[in-house]
Amino acid sequence: MKTKFILPIIALGLFAACGDDSSSSPETTPVSDPSVVVDPSQTNPTPTDPATTPTDPAQTPTDPATDPVVTDPTVTDSTVTDPTTDPTTPTDPVVTPDPVTPPAGSGCSAIARTNLTVPAVPNEVSATGKYNYYGAELSGKDQFKYGRFEACMKMVSIPGSVSSMFLYYDDSYRNGPYVWNEIDIEVLGKGGTSWQSNIITREGDESIKKNTSSEAIHEYGFDATEGFHLYAIIWTPDYVAWEIDSVEVRRDSIGLSRGTHADADQVAFLTEEQSLRFNLWASKSSGWVGKFTGDELANGPQVQWIDYVRVYSYDEATKSFTQTWQDDFDGDDIDREHWGAGNWEMEKVNLSTENVVVEGGYCKMMMTREPE
């Protein structure tokens, strides 16, 4: 695979204090150099597109497939609306900003694409009407402490599905003395016109069984399943922010408190290195994502398309981001130095390494079925 490495170019952020209102959506200003993004808390610029590389649980002792108790590395309880929500946690105080219309012709949405070919997959009909279902995960092997992570993607939304990009501390699922750290972007199975942002935390205390979660639903103003858009997670010691098409939609600042446990200040509690991941799976929680039937797979796979990913490092002294790595998926396989593929159970599906396909300049994560 052809992977681009970009020499660091530092852009210094102007030192301006952030507002206290995390529900506002700061204005953004175009950045002339696409390899550099300045900390939005200093100048609120409009970024370009980065990505990263996390640790593959399938290749390390953190593989959920080896844990007989927890089979899903990101979901621990499917009996509540969001499986990771602590029912004792107070209502999330974050207010979703008004929907914004992506700038015309901006970012990855402006790229003309004519080669969106769905991989050929045998489409067999079950004589009994019963099927096995398979999802996909692209799991990074590199670890990050702060940064900016971007991906140009076309998402999936069918009843029961979760189509995502997230940062994840690889030992989170182990529970017990291990903390949980995770930052999510998720398009859920209730429709492609909205998405969910979330931080998930849990302190390393064996007596605590539930995670602290801060889900917020945001309206796109468009259908994310019909075209490509630029998704970004920005993680610094002072705040976590989410962007769509270079427009900040949510920001959680340090000091915002949720719940009564040690992880109530979720931004402050994000202390562990995390890996960058993408996955497509189906949840048991119909209240959260709709009821999964798999009927939408009768005519072939559902595909989450990734055009490119970019990763930016964060300089705490200058409060600036520098692009350090990019993957354009130009080869015929994932870059095994940086990526792995999931092979464990995710509630309604089993993740299959064969459902992560690189061809035509895209990484294609598929959801498929086959007769039992």
Side-chain angles (χ1 to χ4, degrees):
M1 170 182 299
K2 177 181 174 185
T3 303
K4 298 181 181 177
F5 291 86
I6 299 177
L7 294 177
I9 303 174
I10 302 294
L12 299 183
L14 298 178
F15 236 85
C18 297
D20 292 335
D21 184 1
S22 63
S23 68
S24 62
S25 178
E27 296 182 359
T28 56
T29 306
V31 174
S32 58
D33 184 348
S35 69
V36 178
V37 173
V38 181
D39 186 344
S41 69
Q42 309 304 312
T43 58
N44 292 328
T46 298
T48 357
D49 330 15
T52 185
T53 42
T55 302
D56 182 1
Q59 300 178 0
T60 72
T62 63
D63 185 353
T66 65
D67 188 332
V69 178
V70 180
T71 56
D72 179 348
T74 59
V75 176
T76 58
D77 182 359
S78 62
T79 62
V80 295
T81 301
D82 180 339
T84 56
T85 302
D86 183 348
T88 64
T89 301
T91 302
D92 182 4
V94 174
V95 177
T96 304
D98 291 337
V100 292
T101 301
S106 68
C108 74
S109 60
I111 299 173
R113 295 177 173 85
T114 58
N115 59 336
L116 299 182
T117 304
V118 176
V121 175
N123 189 18
E124 302 176 47
V125 177
S126 170
T128 63
K130 296 182 178 180
Y131 294 88
N132 294 317
Y133 297 96
Y134 300 93
E137 176 164 317
L138 180 66
S139 299
K141 296 180 179 180
D142 294 338
Q143 301 295 310
F144 302 93
K145 184 70 174 289
Y146 310 129
R148 180 183 180 88
F149 310 90
E150 295 183 348
C152 179
M153 298 186 290
K154 183 174 180 283
M155 309 298 273
V156 170
S157 178
I158 62 173
S161 69
V162 180
S163 182
S164 77
M165 164 186 178
F166 61 110
L167 295 171
Y168 180 73
Y169 169 48
D170 293 340
D171 282 334
S172 294
Y173 79 96
R174 295 170 69 89
N175 298 324
Y178 296 91
V179 302
W180 195 298
N181 280 188
E182 181 176 343
I183 307 170
D184 296 335
I185 289 176
E186 296 168 313
V187 174
L188 307 178
K190 290 188 173 181
T193 60
S194 64
W195 62 283
Q196 177 176 281
S197 61
N198 197 9
I199 300 176
I200 304 174
T201 53
R202 189 197 62 240
E203 58 186 298
D205 183 334
E206 294 187 5
S207 68
I208 298 175
K209 305 301 182 184
K210 297 289 185 178
N211 298 331
T212 299
S213 189
S214 55
E215 309 96 329
I217 300 295
H218 314 273
E219 293 295 328
Y220 282 115
F222 53 84
D223 190 332
T225 68
E226 294 182 353
F228 284 78
H229 296 275
L230 182 64
Y231 297 79
I233 296 172
I234 302 93
W235 174 31
T236 79
D238 302 314
Y239 69 90
V240 174
W242 295 257
E243 291 181 1
I244 303 297
D245 289 326
S246 302
V247 177
E248 185 173 297
V249 178
R250 170 182 171 184
R251 177 181 294 216
D252 282 14
S253 298
I254 195 168
L256 179 63
S257 182
R258 300 182 175 94
T260 58
H261 295 304
D263 64 337
D265 186 341
Q266 290 191 295
V267 174
F269 198 75
L270 294 172
T271 57
E272 304 299 325
E273 290 188 338
Q274 300 187 62
S275 55
L276 179 65
R277 298 163 180 256
F278 305 83
N279 63 19
L280 176 61
W281 56 286
S283 173
K284 296 177 181 178
S285 180
S286 58
W288 182 40
V289 296
K291 184 177 180 179
F292 178 74
T293 65
D295 292 345
E296 291 77 11
L297 303 176
N299 295 322
Q302 291 286 321
V303 181
Q304 177 176 331
W305 300 77
I306 308 175
D307 187 345
Y308 56 83
V309 292
R310 294 177 185 165
V311 174
Y312 292 71
S313 63
Y314 180 69
D315 189 313
E316 295 184 53
T318 62
K319 297 187 181 296
S320 62
F321 299 90
T322 302
Q323 186 176 338
T324 57
W325 184 75
Q326 176 171 334
D327 196 339
D328 293 316
F329 302 105
D330 285 338
D332 56 7
D333 192 9
I334 57 175
D335 182 345
R336 298 290 173 174
E337 179 181 351
H338 294 286
W339 301 110
N343 64 349
W344 50 87
E345 181 182 346
M346 289 284 280
E347 300 207 29
K348 288 282 191 176
V349 304
N350 288 305
L351 300 180
S352 170
T353 58
E354 295 180 358
N355 280 13
V356 178
V357 176
V358 174
E359 61 181 11
Y362 298 96
C363 178
K364 307 173 185 181
M365 298 196 310
M366 300 186 295
M367 184 180 291
T368 59
R369 73 177 190 180
E370 67 179 18
E372 286 188 350

